[in-house]
Amino acid sequence: MSANPILRLTEAGLYCEPGDFFIDPWRRVERAVITHAHADHARRGCGSYLTSDPGKHPLQLRMGADALVQSIAYGEAVRIRDVTVSLHPAGHVLGSAQIRIEHSGYVAVVSGDYKVDHDPTCASFESVKCHLFITESTFGLPIYRWARSAEVFAAIDSWRIENQAAGKASLLLAYSLGKAQRILASVDRSIGPIFAHGAVEAMNRAYRSAGVELPEIATVQSASKGFDWSKALIVAPPSAWGSPWARRFGEVSTAVASGWMTIRGTRRRRGVDRGFVISDHADWPGLLGAIEATGASEVWVTHGYSAVVARLLLERGIDAKIVSTRFEGERIDSTDDDSLSDNAAAAVSTLTSSDTIDGENGSTDIESSRSVVRNEDAGLLE
């Protein structure tokens, strides 16, 4: 039995009883503290929301103008009933936060989604010491090791140039919140015109309002009739692929930006031309390093390859357990602007021996990898 006096799992999500609030609930609740605005962590219809200052605008966009969204600065400690709460950068997307909760000297930290790699569009991950750490495990297998970002964006630029020579538009599919902005901030703007889907540009505005430097990007809808798309890069959410919206570009080469593109077979099964390994989640070394840095004696492992990560932590003498949640991590196909229809686990569970993995040291065959295991009375702040 856990000695943790702060958090327990309920049918509505993670509940902090001494603070009387939920963290990233998957049902409507009266008070919610939100790690970030992706759809699997932020649900509409709650009585009030508390998030980080830079995350307020994206969350308000997602929850609606009438939602009561409060925010605090990173590192600012607030008292909520019998607990002290502070939010710390998670490095996932704009405003993403780890939730630190302290009660009677005991500290629990809920990571939400996180990455430890540098991202010019959001605050970098900050390690927070705690007794209990609740971690994601989206890419919790040793096969997932990210190449340097500069190499990936150079490959995207080369793909664009190749497409231009072939008279094809370049359609790059990426989450509208987070990944799209990271791409727009990092690709070479001199190669050709860059356009964004409307859902991407809505989030671009949220990023700019938070002080993030992004290039001014035209929307696809603003292009003149008969525009020649063959020199253009178009950044759109995965839901745009195969839609009538995408047919206007004529000859097009389509690519997906996702950590699941590590596995080449995933790209083939999705019917896209290229896959670029870009993720807003920690890879295997980043995941283990982040967990270790907390110094936590107890770890709850959620969405992803939780069994693999929990087993390794147990072998290392850490009290680890799997906690079943409704968080989804990074997914492959989209049914709305940032939620995807196929569960990420399918990317590895359907591997064949002919599939290969793109890693920083070249391609690895699957069989060898398989062998490795501010105060408002109605709100939260009173």
Side-chain angles (χ1 to χ4, degrees):
M1 196 66 145
S2 169
N4 134 61
I6 296 179
L7 294 170
R8 60 184 174 89
L9 192 63
T10 73
E11 291 184 354
L14 283 170
Y15 179 58
C16 174
E17 188 163 0
D20 191 24
F21 60 83
F22 288 81
I23 298 173
D24 293 356
W26 42 81
R27 292 187 180 179
R28 294 179 179 181
V29 299
E30 188 59 32
R31 289 169 292 277
V33 180
I34 301 298
T35 62
H36 66 287
H38 277 152
D40 57 326
H41 289 261
R43 308 288 182 178
R44 285 175 174 261
C46 293
S48 66
Y49 301 87
L50 177 65
T51 193
S52 71
D53 281 349
K56 183 175 182 178
H57 193 167
L59 186 61
Q60 193 80 65
L61 282 174
R62 288 286 171 86
M63 298 302 100
D66 294 336
L68 174 56
V69 179
Q70 300 172 291
S71 66
I72 58 176
Y74 283 135
E76 178 183 352
V78 294
R79 192 75 179 171
I80 303 178
R81 307 227 172 162
D82 295 333
V83 299
T84 301
V85 175
S86 57
L87 309 185
H88 303 265
H92 179 56
V93 298
L94 177 67
S96 59
Q98 301 170 82
I99 315 299
R100 181 188 186 275
I101 310 166
E102 183 171 358
H103 175 63
S104 300
Y106 187 93
V107 177
V109 171
V110 182
S111 74
D113 292 335
Y114 63 93
K115 70 173 180 291
V116 297
D117 292 346
H118 172 69
D119 181 339
T121 67
C122 67
S124 296
F125 178 86
E126 175 186 300
S127 181
V128 182
K129 296 292 184 182
C130 56
H131 300 93
L132 167 65
F133 186 55
I134 302 181
T135 180
E136 63 141 313
S137 59
T138 303
F139 291 102
L141 286 179
I143 59 175
Y144 294 109
R145 299 170 186 268
W146 308 149
R148 290 189 295 272
S149 296
E151 296 176 4
V152 179
F153 291 116
I156 291 175
D157 290 336
S158 295
W159 167 70
R160 295 167 60 195
I161 293 170
E162 292 168 5
N163 292 338
Q164 289 177 347
K168 295 181 179 180
S170 301
L171 176 60
L172 183 53
L173 306 175
Y175 277 11
S176 60
L177 169 57
K179 202 174 296 179
Q181 289 72 36
R182 187 179 176 192
I183 289 167
L184 292 171
S186 303
V187 295
D188 187 343
R189 303 172 204 174
S190 70
I191 291 175
I194 302 176
F195 291 84
H197 186 280
V200 171
E201 181 55 26
M203 285 300 162
N204 289 348
R205 292 193 292 269
Y207 270 63
R208 293 188 191 104
S209 71
V212 177
E213 289 189 17
L214 286 178
E216 291 297 329
I217 302 294
T219 61
V220 168
Q221 289 82 353
S222 70
S224 59
K225 187 175 181 180
F227 181 80
D228 179 6
W229 295 99
S230 64
K231 304 294 184 184
L233 169 67
I234 305 105
V235 179
S239 58
W241 174 231
S243 70
W245 177 91
R247 294 174 194 154
R248 71 188 73 192
F249 305 124
E251 287 292 314
V252 63
S253 177
T254 304
V256 172
S258 172
W260 303 115
M261 293 298 107
T262 299
I263 302 162
R264 292 180 181 173
T266 304
R267 183 183 72 226
R268 291 197 305 270
R269 284 186 285 272
R270 295 295 170 257
V272 294
D273 302 302
R274 289 291 299 271
F276 296 105
V277 182
I278 303 174
S279 180
D280 288 330
H281 296 260
D283 63 0
W284 173 256
L287 193 66
L288 297 183
I291 294 170
E292 182 180 9
T294 67
S297 57
E298 182 178 3
V299 176
W300 293 1
V301 188
T302 70
H303 54 300
Y305 292 100
S306 50
V308 176
V309 175
R311 184 174 61 194
L312 179 63
L313 295 176
L314 286 168
E315 291 172 354
R316 294 183 176 183
I318 296 173
D319 182 10
K321 71 175 182 180
I322 301 166
V323 177
S324 178
T325 67
R326 297 188 187 180
F327 308 137
E328 297 169 347
E330 187 166 316
R331 300 178 70 179
I332 306 236
D333 293 329
S334 181
T335 53
D336 61 27
D337 64 337
D338 75 343
S339 299
L340 305 171
S341 64
D342 285 346
N343 195 295
V348 167
S349 64
T350 61
L351 292 178
T352 69
S353 58
S354 62
D355 286 330
T356 58
I357 297 168
D358 290 331
E360 58 185 335
N361 296 319
S363 296
T364 306
D365 90 272
I366 292 298
E367 293 306 321
S368 63
S369 294
R370 277 183 172 146
S371 67
V372 188
V373 163
R374 279 45 116 169
N375 302 337
E376 295 182 43
D377 290 341
L380 206 64
L381 305 181
E382 300 177 342

